[in-house]
Amino acid sequence: MMRRVVLLVLDGVGIGAAPDSAAYGDVGSDTLGNLARAEGGLRLPHLERAGLGSIATLLGVPPVSDPYGAWGKMEPRSAGKDSTTGHWEIAGIHLARPFPTFPGGFPREVVDDFARRTGRGVLGNLVASGTAVLDQFGEAHLRSGDWIVYTSADSVFQVAAHEEAVPLEELYRACEVARELLVAPHDVSRVIARPFTGPAGAFVRTRNRRDYSIAPPGETLLDALAGAGIPREGVGKVDDLFAGRAIRSRHTADNAEGIRATGEWLREAAGGLLFVNLVDFDQLFGHRNDAPGFHGALREFDAALPVLLAHLREDDLLFITADHGNDPTTPSTDHARECVPLLALGPRVRPVGLGTRSTFSDLGATIAHAFGISFRGRGRSFLAELGA
């Protein structure tokens, strides 16, 4: 019977500033540490038992003498601090340069070409919060039918449209057009469809977001697994981050649905890799500086962890990590250059410290090793240390 591995990414759940955080303006960012202090201590009993408190000092999550998992943390090695970069690094790819950002908006020729090819004008073209931009341009969009285009501190081209004014499929086609346009020299990391609904003054974004990533520049863990005939499934936006290459995902409305989908896979799958992204930590709480909401989402995941563990088979592996930080306690509402936690769980996993890994790619290398393929990407496997 083929082995099963779950790679579970808690989007934005960093565990302390990376050594080069100053270069990114992120000195002092510490998503879990600062959140614990802001909340008067974290209440995560199951993650505590797994070994989370052994990775870093976290108020409310002390180290335990007999954790049931292996623990460590990973430093980012690629340039950049966005979801695409973090997931690609896990899968074995390092980027020498970060994706370009557009603090003054996108070049006029790009915006004009986008408008011409989609048949609608453009409002905005500025750096803005995803909710504030709706308040600013939503009514004009409803009157004109023009796209609302905006970006952030990350390399993203975001297109917002009201679902009652523009059909979802038209919005998605427009984002595909933008994806075709935003290649070299622009090379935007992601084009994001941002549908919304509601009346003026009460606009809300819907769960029909869709991401269109630039294609990975080299072989990834997913490509290597596909070449070896090993099944791969995704939960959340994982397939979007890899431009749909070598994986298909079940897109979920929220963390709760993502957790349920993970449990269903563990109950039913015969073998292979499940690659999960739980985005609410980042999207709903980190970017909105909502510390209580962030803590609540962690508690929701913590409460579900025993159910996931109960479905693990003898040689299954469950890895819990993140792709970057998004500290809800700092003035910034953007991603942070942070280390990420690393927990390895499974019936055969030895409770050992894995130290500070020099790259996220060590995790991808370990997963490849677990499936018996030669791919290591830019990482070094720690499978032997797990005893699994």
Side-chain angles (χ1 to χ4, degrees), residues 10-11 13 255 278-283 285-286 294 297-298 301:
L10 310 183
D11 202 308
V13 183
N255 279 3
L278 299 182
V279 74
D280 288 359
F281 309 103
D282 179 75
Q283 178 174 272
F285 308 116
F294 203 121
L298 285 169
F301 175 73

Side-chain angles (χ1 to χ4, degrees), residues 46-82:
H46 303 296
L47 286 167
E48 177 182 316
R49 287 281 297 114
L52 181 62
S54 295
I55 302 174
T57 300
L58 298 173
L59 185 63
V61 187
V64 294
S65 59
D66 58 340
Y68 54 74
W71 67 90
K73 63 181 178 180
M74 302 189 294
E75 295 178 349
R77 193 57 46 204
S78 281
K81 55 177 183 177
D82 60 278

Side-chain angles (χ1 to χ4, degrees), residues 26-370:
D26 290 327
V27 172
S29 290
D30 179 359
T31 299
L32 283 174
N34 287 341
L35 178 66
R37 287 182 282 274
E39 289 290 287
L42 300 177
R43 292 171 292 282
L44 305 171
H46 303 296
L47 286 167
E48 177 182 316
R49 287 281 297 114
L52 181 62
S54 295
I55 302 174
T57 300
L58 298 173
L59 185 63
V61 187
V64 294
S65 59
D66 58 340
Y68 54 74
W71 67 90
K73 63 181 178 180
M74 302 189 294
E75 295 178 349
R77 193 57 46 204
S78 281
K81 55 177 183 177
D82 60 278
S83 291
T84 301
T85 302
H87 284 72
W88 284 7
E89 184 170 338
I90 291 171
I93 288 180
H94 289 188
L95 297 179
R97 295 182 301 277
F99 291 112
T101 56
F102 299 85
F106 297 96
R108 174 50 52 190
E109 64 271 17
V110 170
V111 173
D112 288 347
D113 202 8
F114 174 69
R116 180 184 60 80
R117 291 180 58 179
T118 60
R120 293 180 183 269
V122 168
L123 298 166
N125 189 27
L126 75 173
V127 176
S129 138
T131 51
V133 78
L134 301 185
D135 294 334
Q136 186 174 359
F137 297 106
E139 290 186 69
H141 161 73
L142 287 175
R143 290 193 301 269
S144 66
D146 293 344
W147 307 112
I148 302 172
V149 171
Y150 63 106
T151 187
S152 71
D154 295 319
S155 181
V156 290
F157 183 98
Q158 304 190 83
V159 186
H162 196 288
E163 290 190 0
E164 295 176 15
V166 179
L168 274 174
E169 289 307 316
E170 184 181 351
L171 172 60
Y172 295 155
R173 285 196 301 273
C175 289
E176 291 169 359
V177 167
R179 181 68 278 166
E180 293 171 5
L181 292 172
L182 294 166
V183 293
H186 307 298
D187 278 342
V188 169
S189 170
R190 278 181 294 158
V191 174
I192 306 178
R194 290 288 197 179
F196 65 100
T197 189
F203 294 128
V204 292
R205 295 194 296 192
T206 74
R207 295 290 188 167
N208 293 317
R209 162 181 170 162
R210 193 170 287 181
D211 294 46
Y212 300 80
S213 178
I214 196 167
E219 184 183 25
T220 71
L221 169 67
L222 298 174
D223 296 323
L225 292 174
I230 295 168
R232 303 139 330 276
E233 293 184 39
V235 170
K237 64 182 183 180
V238 175
D239 56 348
D240 290 339
L241 295 174
F242 287 88
R245 203 169 84 194
I247 192 166
R248 300 185 70 174
S249 283
R250 170 177 166 179
H251 285 234
T252 50
D254 52 24
N255 279 3
E257 185 180 347
I259 292 166
R260 286 196 298 273
T262 303
E264 290 170 10
W265 187 89
L266 283 169
R267 287 192 296 272
E268 300 168 4
L273 172 70
L274 182 70
F275 199 158
V276 181
N277 176 280
L278 299 182
V279 74
D280 288 359
F281 309 103
D282 179 75
Q283 178 174 272
L284 298 184
F285 308 116
H287 284 304
R288 299 180 185 180
N289 284 350
D290 182 352
F294 203 121
H295 188 195
L298 285 169
R299 294 183 69 186
E300 176 188 45
F301 175 73
D302 183 82
L305 185 57
V307 178
L308 300 181
L309 295 175
H311 294 300
L312 294 182
R313 297 175 185 166
E314 183 63 24
D315 64 347
D316 284 352
L317 291 170
L318 169 62
F319 295 103
I320 300 172
T321 190
D323 51 350
H324 52 72
N326 196 336
D327 191 333
T329 72
T330 63
S332 169
T333 59
D334 295 310
H335 297 159
R337 179 74 167 181
E338 292 189 39
C339 299
V340 297
L342 172 62
L343 291 172
L345 310 173
R348 294 183 179 176
V349 171
R350 287 197 299 247
V352 296
L354 299 171
T356 299
R357 316 302 300 190
S358 64
T359 170
F360 298 179
S361 297
D362 283 3
L363 179 50
T366 301
I367 292 170
H369 192 179

